Amino acid sequence: RVPVPLPEGAVPDAPTVISVQGEAGPVTAQAHTVTRHPDGSIRRMMLSMPVNLASGQDAEFAFDASAATVAQPSMLRAGAPERIVTDRYSVLVSGGRVQLVGDGGNVLAIVQPVGPEPGGEMELTVLDEGPHLTWLRYHQADEEWSREVDVEVDRLGEVTLTHRIQIHLDGDHWTPDFGFELTAPGAEGAKSGPLHFMQYETSAKFADHSELLPEMTLADGTDISLANPLAFRQNRGTLSVQATNGGLELRSNRNEPV
C-alpha cells in the first residue's frame, strides 16, 4: 500500500481499480480516495497492489486515473460472518474474531483479541475493499470501556489485526492486560517463550531477532509467521507459543506482568 499525494484539480475522481505501469508492465491497483481538495478533486489516494520487492529495493510506477480498466470483483463477501477471499485461504471475520479457512471448510487458525469486553453493540465499518485489500473496523463501547479492532487482509493472505482499548472512567487507572491470541489445530512449529519485549533495545530490528517472528505450519501445510510490531517498537509485552490440544497456541500480551 502506498499513499499518493495529488495536486488540486489533477484528478477529479478515480475508479476503484486503476491500471499502474511498472518496469515489468501494467498491473491493476486498488484505489481508495482518502481526502479531497476544496474543489472536490482528489488530494490523497491510497493505492494497493501486489509488489515483490527485496529488502531495501525500490520500484517506480506511473498511472493514469482516467484510463479505462477492467472491473475486478472485491475480495469481500458481505454476510455474517464477513468472508474475505485470498489466494491462500478464506478469512472469516466476526466482531474482530478471525478464522483462516482452507479448502473443504477446515478451520486452520483462529485469531482473536483478548482483554476487556465492553457490553455495547458491535458496529462494523468497511474502511476499504477491492480486489487487493479489505480493511474492516469493529467498534464496541459502553459507559466504562470502548474498543476497536481493525482487520486488514490482502490478496496474498497477509492478515493485520490491530486492537485498541480506551477507558471512560474518571481518574487514573492501570491499563488492563490485552492483546491477541492465535489457536491453530493440527499445526506444527517450535514452542517458545514467554519472551519479554522489554529486554530488547529500542533500536533492535526484527531481522536480528528471528525468535520474535515465530513460524508454524498449519494443518493443510501452509507456512505462516506472526509478529507484534507495536509491542516490539514500544518494548512492552510478551510473546509465547505453546502446544495445546494437538496444535499450537500463540499469545501476545500488551502489558508486562507486574
Side-chain angles (χ1 to χ4, degrees):
R1 304 185 69 205
V2 58
V4 180
L6 298 166
E8 189 170 6
V11 180
D13 211 344
T16 56
V17 178
I18 65 175
S19 179
V20 176
Q21 183 69 38
E23 295 181 358
V27 296
T28 59
Q30 178 178 327
H32 174 70
T33 299
V34 180
T35 57
R36 292 182 179 272
H37 289 286
D39 68 349
S41 62
I42 298 176
R43 180 176 183 175
R44 186 173 296 273
M45 175 190 298
M46 187 72 71
L47 297 183
S48 304
M49 57 187 177
V51 178
N52 187 14
L53 295 176
S55 178
Q57 183 181 359
D58 295 325
E60 294 186 3
F61 296 88
F63 70 92
D64 180 359
S66 63
T69 57
V70 177
Q72 293 182 302
S74 172
M75 297 167 55
L76 178 62
R77 310 288 190 267
E82 309 296 319
R83 180 169 176 259
I84 305 170
V85 179
T86 77
D87 292 341
R88 295 184 178 272
Y89 33 65
S90 291
V91 180
L92 304 184
V93 190
S94 178
R97 182 176 185 267
V98 177
Q99 295 184 76
L100 307 185
V101 180
D103 295 338
N106 295 324
V107 176
L108 304 175
I110 300 172
V111 188
Q112 57 188 0
V114 295
E117 296 186 10
E121 182 179 353
M122 185 74 73
E123 299 176 357
L124 168 62
T125 303
V126 180
L127 298 179
D128 198 359
E129 66 162 308
H132 297 309
L133 176 84
T134 295
W135 183 357
L136 307 178
R137 172 167 293 170
Y138 293 87
H139 180 81
Q140 187 179 26
D142 59 20
E143 294 182 356
E144 295 185 359
W145 292 96
S146 64
R147 72 168 176 172
E148 280 186 346
V149 180
D150 283 13
V151 179
E152 299 175 63
V153 183
D154 69 23
R155 169 63 65 180
L156 302 180
E158 180 175 312
V159 179
T160 301
L161 186 146
T162 306
H163 183 199
R164 311 178 189 91
I165 62 172
Q166 183 177 17
I167 192 170
H168 303 298
L169 300 175
D170 294 333
D172 296 328
H173 301 271
W174 288 102
T175 302
D177 196 16
F178 72 104
F180 71 90
E181 64 181 12
L182 176 143
T183 304
E188 297 180 351
K191 289 73 175 175
S192 63
L195 300 173
H196 295 260
F197 288 100
M198 192 178 293
Q199 66 181 303
Y200 298 94
E201 298 291 335
T202 55
S203 59
K205 300 178 181 179
F206 275 120
D208 300 323
H209 296 283
S210 60
E211 72 274 13
L212 296 177
L213 296 168
E215 300 178 349
M216 62 180 67
T217 301
L218 300 180
D220 71 341
T222 300
D223 294 324
I224 65 171
S225 63
L226 303 98
N228 189 337
L230 185 58
F232 190 31
R233 186 177 67 186
Q234 296 182 345
N235 294 102
R236 195 75 178 270
T238 59
L239 177 70
S240 64
V241 181
Q242 304 296 330
T244 175
N245 298 327
L248 294 175
E249 180 181 271
L250 178 145
R251 187 180 179 97
S252 187
N253 289 21
R254 176 64 179 83
N255 291 351
E256 290 281 353
V258 177

